[in-house]
Amino acid sequence: MINVTPISELNSAFQSAYGYPAEAVSIAPGRVNLIGEHTDYNDGFVLPCALEFNTRILFKKRNDTTINVRSMSYLDESEQFDHSQDLIPGDLHWGNYIRAVVFVLKREGHQLSGFDMLIDSNVPQGSGLSSSAALEVALGGLFNHADNLSLSLSEIAVFGQKAENDFIDCQCGIMDQLISACGQANNALMLDCRSLETQAVAIPNDLNVVIVNSNYPRKLADSEYNVRRIDCENAARIMGVKMLRDASMELLFEHKDQLSLNEFKRAKHVITENQRVLDAVKALQNNNLESLSELMRASHHSMQHDFEITVPAIDGLVEICSNALGKSGGARMTGGGFGGAVVCLCREQDLAKLIKAVEDNYHQQFSLTADIYVCNAGNGLKIEAL
Ligand code: GLA
């Protein structure tokens, strides 16, 4: 189901583009978040796993300061810039992610070489599975390795996040980059987004992680995202805590009159969602699918009614999946919202029922066709010599 272009084929493409083969490849995955949405930038908890969908960047160091980049997804385009000059956004959307990572690394004083690069990715784009974080982490890993920057995995993740925050102007949290850097096969990771500590939580063998991509075009996602973040920060300030991580439902109700309705609802989502993540870790450790099912249902309900980041097609898709699985499986929207994908957890014997329910109902109700991926949790960033 996952298309992976053989590395030899990619290296031939690299050779045709640059006249010599690549020396190594940097590989970083997309992610799916099992639970804990919009908690990361509130210093809270999340429970994602890395996917086996990866962004791979083949590269070879140059002896100047030029960065040349080709992408297998945009064969008629190419990105090129000299990083000894001031970096400003260029014309290519994807090229700006390269500029962004170079910008933040250089701003911190790291000495970078020039590189020829070729990108190939099978992370579905625009579906909330973090294709951009995969690119940022693969790039950070590439520079770290080839220029001996001695960065830790979490430092590489933070550079990816800063690239988004300070160059792309998306005020995202740390979840996507941290799981892309640190992911472990067959495990979800509970991330403490304050300390950046990670705790591996094994995904039981008999539990399937299923991604149902709604293919609903994500609109307004970045601007609404930034507005949610401001509401959360305001709510924390009004309650007198550093971040919503530090607030309780008791404190929230004490301040209800001082908060706008939106601030109250956004904070309620974050406070309850943090607790759901902690509960979901226990449920996953105990392979308690009934409890996971309830937590995922409550998480989706909270995203729909309190954080207000879902759209009718996503709510409908979650309902189709939840109804098919009942108490023996869970379903919720995953990622930033306003479209994207739904994540389901279920047993093998319920897989066919789930797929049939999506095929029978989703297109009929929303005139869209979903893509369904049955996934394994994959590994995080790695560099391989070629
Ligand atoms: C996007 C952001 C993450 C996180 C999620 C919502 O994926 O990049 O930092 O905030 O949305 O949980």
Side-chain angles (χ1 to χ4, degrees):
M1 200 181 331
I2 300 181
N3 287 328
V4 185
T5 309
I7 198 77
S8 55
E9 215 174 286
L10 293 179
N11 214 352
S12 302
F14 189 100
Q15 166 105 36
S16 318
Y18 299 114
Y20 39 72
E23 60 196 17
V25 55
S26 178
I27 308 171
R31 64 97 187 94
V32 63
N33 189 20
L34 303 184
I35 197 160
E37 227 63 78
H38 289 261
T39 44
D40 61 349
Y41 54 83
N42 291 295
D43 273 5
F45 305 106
V46 292
L47 186 61
C49 57
L51 295 172
E52 290 178 320
F53 295 121
N54 285 295
T55 291
R56 295 178 289 174
I57 310 179
L58 286 77
F59 62 92
K60 185 167 172 61
K61 205 185 258 199
R62 299 173 55 89
N63 47 21
D64 58 15
T65 48
T66 301
I67 304 278
N68 288 316
V69 197
R70 305 285 180 109
S71 165
M72 296 300 284
S73 310
Y74 307 96
L75 287 171
D76 51 350
E77 298 177 345
S78 64
E79 175 65 295
Q80 179 179 39
F81 57 93
D82 178 348
H83 69 62
S84 65
Q85 310 293 313
D86 281 349
L87 281 177
I88 52 165
D91 296 333
L92 297 176
H93 177 70
W94 61 269
N96 281 335
Y97 287 92
I98 325 282
R99 290 171 185 245
V101 173
V102 172
F103 171 81
V104 290
L105 285 169
K106 291 206 60 158
R107 190 177 61 182
E108 291 291 311
H110 290 295
Q111 299 294 322
L112 305 182
S113 309
F115 287 91
D116 293 326
M117 305 184 193
L118 175 72
I119 303 174
D120 178 62
S121 182
N122 62 3
V123 184
Q125 284 187 27
S127 45
L129 301 175
S130 295
S131 54
S132 45
L135 177 57
E136 291 148 14
V137 170
L139 275 167
L142 178 165
F143 288 114
N144 183 46
H145 171 86
D147 283 333
N148 299 313
L149 306 184
S150 303
L151 301 172
S152 66
L153 289 174
S154 51
E155 285 170 331
I156 291 173
V158 170
F159 275 115
Q161 180 198 15
K162 284 185 182 159
E164 295 258 3
N165 293 171
D166 301 346
F167 198 88
I168 306 283
D169 197 26
C170 171
Q171 299 308 312
C172 68
I174 189 65
M175 166 169 70
D176 305 347
Q177 292 81 5
L178 196 56
I179 186 67
S180 181
C182 302
Q184 292 178 27
N186 305 318
N187 284 271
L189 293 193
M190 207 268 274
L191 309 179
D192 178 332
C193 299
R194 171 165 279 168
S195 66
L196 304 191
E197 274 163 23
T198 65
Q199 180 194 339
V201 187
I203 299 179
N205 282 337
D206 60 352
L207 196 64
N208 278 294
V209 177
V210 184
I211 296 173
V212 187
N213 183 359
S214 71
N215 284 313
Y216 179 89
R218 293 180 78 213
K219 291 181 207 135
L220 293 176
D222 282 358
S223 55
E224 287 292 330
Y225 186 99
N226 293 347
V227 171
R228 294 299 180 285
R229 187 166 179 158
I230 291 168
D231 282 341
C232 290
E233 285 165 2
N234 286 344
R237 188 174 33 76
I238 292 166
M239 287 190 276
V241 291
K242 187 160 170 253
M243 291 292 201
L244 287 182
R245 153 81 172 266
D246 308 302
S248 61
M249 287 301 280
E250 226 180 351
L251 192 74
L252 179 66
F253 276 97
E254 275 168 30
H255 291 81
K256 190 166 188 209
D257 294 344
Q258 289 141 262
L259 295 163
S260 71
L261 181 59
N262 274 353
E263 287 161 355
F264 176 82
K265 285 167 44 168
R266 309 310 185 227
K268 178 170 167 240
H269 164 76
V270 173
I271 295 167
T272 55
E273 185 81 348
N274 270 330
Q275 186 58 46
R276 282 188 285 271
V277 175
L278 300 175
D279 294 344
V281 168
K282 286 190 202 129
L284 199 56
Q285 284 166 336
N286 296 326
N287 201 356
N288 182 343
L289 192 47
E290 194 168 331
S291 167
L292 284 169
S293 167
E294 272 170 36
L295 291 164
M296 290 171 83
R297 190 183 303 274
S299 171
H300 189 82
H301 186 272
S302 181
M303 289 191 286
Q304 182 178 355
H305 299 287
D306 286 335
F307 220 66
E308 297 179 290
I309 50 169
T310 65
V311 291
I314 284 281
D315 295 329
L317 187 54
V318 166
E319 202 177 319
I320 291 165
C321 299
S322 300
N323 288 346
L325 295 171
K327 286 186 178 173
S328 47
R332 58 181 284 284
M333 183 187 75
T334 184
F338 304 98
V342 167
V343 59
C344 303
L345 294 176
C346 70
R347 303 280 181 229
E348 188 74 29
Q349 69 262 25
D350 291 321
L351 211 49
K353 190 163 66 179
L354 172 68
I355 294 171
K356 185 169 181 338
V358 172
E359 286 174 352
D360 287 354
N361 298 294
Y362 182 59
H363 184 265
Q364 193 204 340
Q365 290 177 27
F366 297 101
S367 304
L368 290 163
T369 305
D371 293 318
I372 303 177
Y373 311 104
V374 182
C375 303
N376 293 312
N379 280 313
L381 173 66
K382 54 180 177 286
I383 311 285
E384 288 172 4
L386 293 176

